[in-house]
Amino acid sequence: MSITIKDVAKKAGVSISTVSRVINGSKPVSNEIRQKVLKVIEETGYMPNPVARSLVMKKSQLIGVVVPDLSNVFIGEILNGIEEIGKMYDYDILLCNTYGQLEQELRYLNLLKAKQVEGIIFMTWNLQEKLVEYLEKIEVPVALINRNTSKLHTPSVSIDNFKAAYEMTEFLIKNGHKRIALIRSSMDQNAFGLDQYNGYKKALDDHGLEIHEELIRYGNWKMENSYQIVKDFIDENILPTAIFAASDEMAIGAINCLLDNGYKVPEDVSVVGFNDIKLASIYRPKLTTIHQPIYDIGAVAMRMIIKKINGEEVDSNVVTLPHELIVRESSKCIE
Amino acid sequence: MSITIKDVAKKAGVSISTVSRVINGSKPVSNEIRQKVLKVIEETGYMPNPVARSLVMKKSQLIGVVVPDLSNVFIGEILNGIEEIGKMYDYDILLCNTYGQLEQELRYLNLLKAKQVEGIIFMTWNLQEKLVEYLEKIEVPVALINRNTSKLHTPSVSIDNFKAAYEMTEFLIKNGHKRIALIRSSMDQNAFGLDQYNGYKKALDDHGLEIHEELIRYGNWKMENSYQIVKDFIDENILPTAIFAASDEMAIGAINCLLDNGYKVPEDVSVVGFNDIKLASIYRPKLTTIHQPIYDIGAVAMRMIIKKINGEEVDSNVVTLPHELIVRESSKCIE
DNA sequence: GTGAAAGCGCTAACAA
DNA sequence: TTGTTAGCGCTTTCAC
């Protein structure tokens, strides 16, 4: 089998404790012996067994990462950030995909705890009550992605979704739009996207614009879905002059539907998105959207977790990263 | 701390082996005692410590998954497949992102072994010689993604890239194209994409068409890159009537460049892709491309690994999944 | 500065 | 059928 600390000790003619000491630098070892041990390690290619180490130290160098979808580029980019920072600190990622299903989320949270992960980065579309409770009393450090609800006791990192949505809506208003549709996420109270919804409403309010309930629709972050929603607008004959989709994918679904039905974007309808995934500037017309530092969100979350693990003070439980309104081709000023 | 098997044993008034037996069903236990133990487990919420279990069994219920990029939708979808099947069999995923760098790949392979993973699913852009060697003598089961080179001893799952590329090229030829550019992957001998290249060449050959070396370019799977390549075609005044990109992303980059420079697709130039990622049918013009069962590739690889772990016979070392040529809007017949 | 020994939580002979 | 015991490979007291 694999070579163990015992083998190294024997070959070097020392005790296993000594070997352990030179590996971990946990206690002084005379230079002579250290060299001898190091040489044997070199020769044998010995690598300490992390599982054994985990068992005794109750540490695993593992971070559990829970996401609702792996084929979502937004999430993928966040994962890139997480992984990159993890690598820097020698943390590995235990990946869990839940498709946003509560049952899976709970199951995985349990499993991760059992696997002795040292921290958990958690992402979901819909942060249900049950989850919140669970997360608040879990023993390992947790970081939430894309939730800036300070009501939660659980730390999180995201942009200011409320403000961003407010800005975008205001931008549309200042461009002369009065009937502005919103394609947001699920209806659930705790759904990701609630902040966007509130920002949207506040902006309309502040500018004395009426809120047309029939123009607020619930999507599921999928293009097909927003496509259908816009189709409904058309069929119901209530197509607005602007559509604000809570994600770039949904914006693109909306645009495609418009194009397929003979409408021009942005000439007939302005469509704006959210996130600024790579596709946003590649799709034609290029999307007007809210830019988020996606990679950084992942990176910051990981840094936060690692700090917590090391018992370092974390400045704030809710990290809010900057966003930016990017005006491209999918929106226009109307008279 | 957490509750252990000892606690359960004490509470139930039995030995730890008995508890172990009821957990694992490894040996018969009288019904009476089983119930008692089960009850204690229920009450205490006891969960066996997988780390300890790993240590003694030298099994971890962990599969290492090595990928070159997480924000790539093609890879994301494969991951979905891998994860889904893993979940079914209670395997978890240790995720490693290498950005295709050999150094990282080697490092992770080592690390995964140390972490006692039971299998490894490996994906890279460029399967370098050193990697091949390493993979052939690694002790744990390995499955390669998207390599159908039977020269390798390492099992793999993919479509028949050669055949697919051949079909696509032939399709273009039959559509009247004579000057067909290929945007393939890196120049490296072992690069993913070599099969496509060969299929392309063979098709031209078989149809008596000359191979224009200047029309064969090396991309890096990124849109920006193929964009530039097409720009070069334009600047060098050698724009062909058809462009075959080895990935949908690269096809889209190519189209964007064409559009930006006043060319129409497919009227002026036909552009076809490879993979049929979701975007392919969402982007306008919709892409003519080769459909791959992406999710299935991941799922099959995972199944394969699990079979190997269980010592089951695996039918074939090289699993080739079906592909399909999908004709959409980005290509047309020329006279 | 070094080694012996205990123990992390679990499984699996081996006895009974 | 059940319990006792010896490890899995490692870290860490505690003596020396």
Side-chain angles (χ1 to χ4, degrees):
Chain A
M1 232 357 248
S2 216
I3 169 153
T4 77
I5 195 171
K6 247 189 196 159
D7 304 322
V8 175
K10 200 181 297 172
K11 272 211 173 171
V14 298
S15 75
I16 58 169
S17 355
T18 303
V19 177
S20 172
R21 277 166 202 140
V22 345
I23 294 168
N24 302 299
S26 45
K27 279 212 172 167
V29 174
S30 79
N31 217 295
E32 189 193 1
I33 293 197
R34 153 173 294 108
Q35 293 311 329
K36 201 160 52 180
V37 173
L38 249 23
K39 189 156 154 266
V40 175
I41 291 180
E42 168 83 9
E43 285 170 6
T44 55
Y46 165 70
M47 288 184 61
N49 180 332
V51 177
R53 199 177 247 169
S54 276
L55 184 60
V56 36
M57 311 232 293
K58 289 165 178 339
K59 292 205 23 155
S60 58
Q61 294 297 118
L62 239 39
I63 303 285
V65 176
V66 182
V67 301
D69 184 10
L70 286 165
S71 65
N72 179 304
V73 278
F74 182 70
I75 292 176
E77 187 66 15
I78 289 178
L79 284 179
N80 270 340
I82 292 174
E83 215 272 350
E84 189 81 2
I85 304 299
K87 197 179 314 190
M88 284 173 47
Y89 292 91
D90 266 323
Y91 275 96
D92 294 297
I93 290 175
L94 208 50
L95 184 64
C96 307
N97 193 16
T98 63
Y99 292 103
Q101 288 160 12
L102 179 61
E103 193 190 329
Q104 295 293 344
E105 293 171 336
L106 256 15
R107 170 178 172 275
Y108 270 129
L109 250 16
N110 263 318
L111 189 135
L112 289 175
K113 241 178 45 187
K115 290 260 184 191
Q116 317 283 324
V117 298
E118 298 184 38
I120 295 175
I121 295 181
F122 192 88
M123 204 179 329
T124 182
W125 300 136
N126 202 340
L127 191 62
Q128 304 199 34
E129 204 53 52
K130 210 161 168 187
L131 229 35
V132 177
E133 285 169 27
Y134 192 99
L135 289 173
E136 297 207 338
K137 61 171 189 264
I138 205 168
E139 299 89 349
V140 296
V142 176
L144 248 34
I145 296 273
N146 243 19
R147 300 277 165 175
N148 53 350
T149 26
S150 45
K151 286 172 297 183
L152 294 179
H153 296 212
T154 315
S156 71
V157 18
S158 80
I159 63 163
D160 188 335
N161 287 303
F162 172 85
K163 192 148 162 272
Y166 185 96
E167 286 169 17
M168 182 57 96
T169 310
E170 188 168 53
F171 164 78
L172 257 13
I173 295 170
K174 289 189 170 160
N175 271 239
H177 296 279
K178 292 196 174 1
R179 297 189 71 243
I180 301 171
L182 175 70
I183 303 182
R184 54 168 297 205
S185 60
S186 96
M187 217 147 169
D188 195 286
Q189 251 311 308
N190 306 295
F192 173 47
L194 184 64
D195 294 329
Q196 276 112 318
Y197 171 66
N198 287 329
Y200 161 84
K201 247 177 39 183
K202 182 81 163 35
L204 289 181
D205 240 37
D206 286 358
H207 289 269
L209 253 36
E210 198 187 330
I211 289 165
H212 300 278
E213 285 298 338
E214 79 274 16
L215 289 181
I216 300 176
R217 301 286 168 113
Y218 298 88
N220 65 358
W221 307 109
K222 302 266 186 200
M223 307 205 192
E224 308 84 87
N225 192 244
S226 57
Y227 189 103
Q228 186 52 48
I229 288 173
V230 172
K231 190 75 176 56
D232 292 344
F233 282 152
I234 296 172
D235 292 345
E236 296 169 24
N237 215 4
I238 55 171
L239 196 62
T241 62
I243 298 175
F244 177 11
S247 83
D248 291 338
E249 285 97 328
M250 293 203 289
I252 287 169
I255 295 177
N256 277 353
C257 179
L258 258 7
L259 296 178
D260 284 354
N261 286 277
Y263 292 92
K264 285 212 168 92
V265 177
E267 289 78 0
D268 301 323
V269 184
S270 288
V271 179
V272 300
F274 207 93
N275 289 348
D276 196 24
I277 59 177
K278 237 184 255 163
L279 179 54
S281 49
I282 273 138
Y283 185 79
R284 304 302 161 99
K286 295 182 189 166
L287 288 188
T288 291
T289 189
I290 294 288
H291 176 79
Q292 295 201 42
I294 312 183
Y295 175 95
D296 292 342
I297 290 177
V300 168
M302 191 58 152
R303 278 231 163 73
M304 196 163 168
I305 285 284
I306 292 174
K307 268 196 178 177
K308 290 224 162 195
I309 290 172
N310 295 336
E312 288 174 44
E313 198 59 43
V314 176
D315 306 344
S316 161
N317 253 350
V318 180
V319 177
T320 303
L321 265 25
H323 62 267
E324 193 184 347
L325 173 52
I326 311 269
V327 180
R328 287 199 272 250
E329 308 166 350
S330 69
S331 65
K332 76 178 260 283
C333 220
I334 62 174
E335 297 71 33
Chain B
M1 233 357 247
S2 218
I3 167 153
T4 76
I5 196 172
K6 249 188 195 160
D7 305 321
V8 176
K10 200 181 298 172
K11 271 211 175 174
V14 298
S15 77
I16 57 168
S17 359
T18 303
V19 177
S20 173
R21 277 166 202 139
V22 346
I23 295 169
N24 302 300
S26 45
K27 283 217 170 163
V29 174
S30 79
N31 217 291
E32 188 193 3
I33 293 196
R34 154 175 293 109
Q35 293 311 326
K36 202 159 55 177
V37 172
L38 248 24
K39 190 155 155 267
V40 175
I41 291 181
E42 168 84 9
E43 285 170 6
T44 54
Y46 165 71
M47 288 184 61
N49 181 333
V51 177
R53 199 178 248 171
S54 276
L55 184 59
V56 37
M57 309 230 295
K58 287 165 181 339
K59 293 206 19 153
S60 57
Q61 293 297 119
L62 240 39
I63 304 285
V65 177
V66 182
V67 301
D69 184 10
L70 286 165
S71 64
N72 179 303
V73 279
F74 182 71
I75 292 176
E77 187 65 16
I78 289 178
L79 284 178
N80 270 338
I82 292 175
E83 215 272 349
E84 189 81 1
I85 303 299
K87 197 180 314 192
M88 284 173 47
Y89 292 91
D90 267 322
Y91 275 95
D92 294 296
I93 290 175
L94 207 51
L95 184 65
C96 306
N97 193 16
T98 63
Y99 292 102
Q101 288 160 11
L102 179 61
E103 194 188 329
Q104 295 293 343
E105 293 171 336
L106 255 15
R107 170 178 173 277
Y108 270 129
L109 250 16
N110 262 317
L111 190 134
L112 289 175
K113 240 178 45 188
K115 289 260 184 193
Q116 317 283 323
V117 299
E118 298 182 38
I120 295 175
I121 296 181
F122 192 89
M123 205 179 328
T124 182
W125 300 137
N126 202 340
L127 190 62
Q128 304 200 32
E129 203 53 52
K130 213 164 168 183
L131 229 34
V132 177
E133 285 170 28
Y134 193 98
L135 289 173
E136 298 207 337
K137 61 171 189 261
I138 205 167
E139 301 88 348
V140 297
V142 176
L144 248 33
I145 296 274
N146 244 18
R147 298 275 162 177
N148 54 348
T149 26
S150 45
K151 287 172 297 184
L152 294 178
H153 297 212
T154 315
S156 71
V157 19
S158 81
I159 63 164
D160 186 336
N161 287 305
F162 173 84
K163 191 148 163 272
Y166 186 95
E167 287 169 16
M168 182 57 96
T169 311
E170 187 167 55
F171 164 78
L172 257 12
I173 295 171
K174 289 189 169 161
N175 271 241
H177 296 279
K178 294 199 173 0
R179 297 188 72 243
I180 302 171
L182 175 70
I183 302 181
R184 55 169 296 207
S185 60
S186 97
M187 217 147 168
D188 196 287
Q189 252 311 309
N190 306 294
F192 173 46
L194 183 64
D195 294 329
Q196 276 111 317
Y197 171 66
N198 287 329
Y200 160 86
K201 249 179 34 185
K202 182 81 163 34
L204 290 181
D205 239 36
D206 285 358
H207 290 269
L209 254 36
E210 197 186 333
I211 289 165
H212 301 279
E213 284 298 341
E214 79 274 16
L215 290 181
I216 299 175
R217 301 288 167 113
Y218 299 88
N220 64 357
W221 308 107
K222 302 264 186 200
M223 307 205 192
E224 308 85 87
N225 191 243
S226 56
Y227 188 102
Q228 186 53 48
I229 288 172
V230 172
K231 190 75 174 58
D232 291 344
F233 282 152
I234 296 172
D235 292 346
E236 296 169 24
N237 216 3
I238 55 170
L239 196 61
T241 63
I243 298 175
F244 177 12
S247 83
D248 290 338
E249 286 97 328
M250 292 203 290
I252 287 171
I255 295 178
N256 277 353
C257 180
L258 257 8
L259 296 178
D260 285 354
N261 286 278
Y263 293 92
K264 286 210 167 94
V265 176
E267 289 78 0
D268 300 324
V269 184
S270 289
V271 179
V272 299
F274 206 93
N275 289 350
D276 196 24
I277 59 177
K278 236 184 253 161
L279 179 54
S281 50
I282 273 139
Y283 185 81
R284 304 302 161 99
K286 296 180 188 166
L287 288 188
T288 291
T289 189
I290 294 287
H291 176 79
Q292 296 202 42
I294 312 183
Y295 175 96
D296 292 342
I297 289 177
V300 168
M302 191 57 152
R303 279 230 163 72
M304 196 164 169
I305 284 285
I306 292 175
K307 270 195 178 176
K308 290 224 161 195
I309 290 172
N310 295 336
E312 290 173 45
E313 199 58 43
V314 176
D315 307 343
S316 161
N317 252 350
V318 179
V319 176
T320 303
L321 264 27
H323 62 267
E324 193 184 346
L325 173 52
I326 310 268
V327 180
R328 288 200 270 252
E329 308 165 351
S330 68
S331 65
K332 78 180 258 283
C333 219
I334 63 174
E335 297 71 31

